[in-house]
């Protein structure tokens, strides 16, 4: 298959979707982005990159970072985090508060905000307080881009408007489900979400999910059984209350962020990252999901 041709075709076909939906505005630092942008990149398991559109423009990775914190925790800690977070789809928005009380402070899964706060808390403990730096350094190593960093303006903007995540964190703490002070967990979480990366960077950084846990330098990061599990949780929970629709349309494990990025994995084959900032009601990129739908339909690459 001519991957470059396919990506170029998708950039053309996706034009009618650009600007459908709206950029996230509950984090004011994300609201001013140009919503006519669209990028797509594929990184093969061997490390070749194919890209088209705005694939080298950095954007705010937001919740895509949750896949990487989970992977780093599983690499450092094996399975103890699963005592503190479930792995079932929530059927609720990513920042919902309601389920947490009914379920005694154990979040439904690691990709909704409550669950991601628990995972970041665990990573803080495992890294002596350097969780965000650990994610950043993993991203730099795997993408080969030493310029990757957290966008201080986006982070400050989220910090000023983080009442909902602060509520979730305090609630978790009230159930004894945080090991570190609420403020430190929130700071690390906001810093990991504010990492600015391009489609190319992210497709490369996520490649361990398509290589049974191998890092870019060939060393073992996670056992194959753990990457299988991360991919499974991405499929069932990675796009929140739209995970069923995403599985139906795309047929791959995926993880979205409110910056408009989505990563998807074809196990043993490649990773794909798409980006376009305008979101649907569930917080997933409209053009990004449409592009992944077109990619798997035309390539036939799906786990089903
Ligand atoms: N930082 C964002 C938040 O906590 C991430 C949400 C997302 O990308 N879905 O609200």
């Amino acid at each position: 298959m001519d991957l470059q041709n396919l990506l170029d075709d998708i950039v053309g076909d996706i034009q009618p979707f650009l600007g459908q939906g709206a950029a996230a505005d509950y984090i004011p630092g994300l609201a001013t982005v140009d919503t006519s942008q669209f990028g797509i990149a594929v990184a093969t398991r061997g490390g070749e990159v194919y890209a088209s559109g705005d694939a080298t423009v950095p954007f705010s990775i937001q919740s895509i970072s949750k896949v990487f914190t989970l992977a780093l925790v599983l690499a450092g800690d094996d399975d103890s985090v699963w005592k503190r977070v479930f792995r079932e789809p929530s059927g609720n928005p990513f920042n919902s508060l309601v389920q947490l009380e009914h379920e005694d402070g154990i979040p439904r899964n690691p990709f909704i905000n409550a669950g991601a706060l628990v995972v970041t808390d665990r990573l803080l403990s495992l890294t002596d307080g350097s969780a965000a730096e650990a994610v950043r350094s993993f991203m730099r190593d795997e993408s080969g881009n030493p310029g990757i960093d957290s966008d201080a303006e986006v982070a400050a903007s989220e910090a000023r408007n983080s009442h909902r995540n602060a509520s979730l964190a305090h609630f978790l703490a009230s159930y004894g489900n945080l090991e570190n002070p609420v403020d430190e967990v929130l700071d690390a979480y906001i810093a990991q979400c504010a990492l600015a990366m391009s489609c190319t960077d992210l497709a490369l950084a996520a490649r361990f999910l398509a290589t049974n846990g191998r890092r870019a330098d060939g060393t073992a990061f996670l056992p194959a059984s753990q990457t299988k599990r991360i991919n499974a949780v991405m499929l069932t929970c990675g796009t929140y209350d739209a995970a069923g629709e995403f599985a139906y349309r795309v047929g791959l494990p995926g993880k979205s962020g409110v910056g408009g990025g989505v990563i998807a994995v074809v196990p043993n084959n490649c990773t794909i990252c798409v980006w376009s900032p305008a979101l649907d009601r569930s917080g997933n990129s409209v053009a990004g999901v449409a592009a992944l739908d077109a990619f798997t339909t035309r390539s036939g690459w799906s786990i089903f």
Side-chain angles (χ1 to χ4, degrees):
M1 185 175 24
D2 186 337
L3 266 178
Q4 188 60 52
N5 242 338
L6 175 58
L7 300 191
D8 292 341
D9 279 358
I10 289 173
V11 171
D13 293 351
I14 219 68
Q15 297 303 313
F17 291 94
L18 297 183
Q20 279 186 36
D25 58 4
Y26 76 101
I27 300 174
L30 298 179
T32 51
V33 62
D34 172 3
T35 55
S36 70
Q37 298 177 94
F38 173 80
I40 183 165
V42 172
T44 67
R45 59 169 291 138
E48 289 155 41
V49 176
Y50 299 85
S52 197
D54 300 310
T56 56
V57 178
F59 61 89
S60 195
I61 73 167
Q62 293 297 320
S63 283
I64 297 174
S65 64
K66 295 170 181 173
V67 173
F68 295 87
T69 45
L70 178 64
L72 287 163
V73 162
L74 293 176
D77 202 23
D78 204 11
D79 272 350
S80 79
V81 75
W82 296 122
K83 296 192 178 77
R84 300 173 53 198
V85 58
F86 296 128
R87 34 182 194 256
E88 288 296 343
S90 71
N92 278 315
F94 61 83
N95 54 5
S96 172
L97 295 152
V98 290
Q99 234 160 18
L100 202 53
E101 179 160 28
H102 289 301
E103 298 184 355
D104 297 331
I106 308 290
R108 265 295 170 100
N109 67 67
F111 295 151
I112 52 172
N113 288 8
L117 288 163
V118 169
V119 174
T120 295
D121 174 57
R122 187 68 199 129
L123 191 59
L124 272 172
S125 300
L126 290 171
T127 57
D128 289 328
S130 307
E133 293 78 1
V135 182
R136 186 181 63 187
S137 119
F138 184 87
M139 299 302 204
R140 288 179 177 177
D141 288 349
E142 298 307 290
S143 66
N145 178 0
I148 289 171
D149 218 335
S150 198
D151 181 324
E153 252 178 65
V154 170
S157 170
E158 176 157 12
R160 279 192 298 275
N161 294 278
S162 61
H163 303 301
R164 209 165 241 278
N165 286 333
S167 310
L168 287 167
H170 281 289
F171 212 69
L172 290 163
S174 80
Y175 279 98
N177 201 4
L178 284 189
E179 297 167 344
N180 296 279
V182 162
D183 288 351
E184 286 173 33
V185 176
L186 278 175
D187 281 354
Y189 172 80
I190 288 169
Q192 80 187 46
C193 286
L195 281 168
M197 295 172 67
S198 68
C199 291
T200 302
D201 292 334
L202 267 170
L204 282 168
R207 212 152 49 94
F208 70 95
L209 293 168
T211 60
N212 290 321
R214 295 263 149 204
R215 291 191 66 153
D217 64 4
T219 56
F221 173 48
L222 283 168
S225 58
Q226 290 290 34
T227 51
K228 179 192 75 178
R229 291 171 182 148
I230 296 172
N231 281 326
V233 181
M234 286 170 71
L235 180 77
T236 51
C237 311
T239 44
Y240 317 113
D241 45 344
E245 181 68 10
F246 186 85
Y248 175 85
R249 289 181 65 191
V250 177
L252 291 176
K255 182 76 207 81
S256 60
V258 291
V262 190
I263 58 168
V265 184
V266 189
N268 292 312
N269 184 346
C270 67
T271 49
I272 311 147
C273 180
V274 291
W275 168 62
S276 193
L279 310 178
D280 64 19
R281 287 162 57 104
S282 299
N284 301 312
S285 169
V286 176
V289 175
L292 288 171
D293 182 346
F295 181 88
T296 53
T297 303
R298 293 177 58 171
S299 65
W301 289 357
S302 153
I303 60 167
F304 299 109

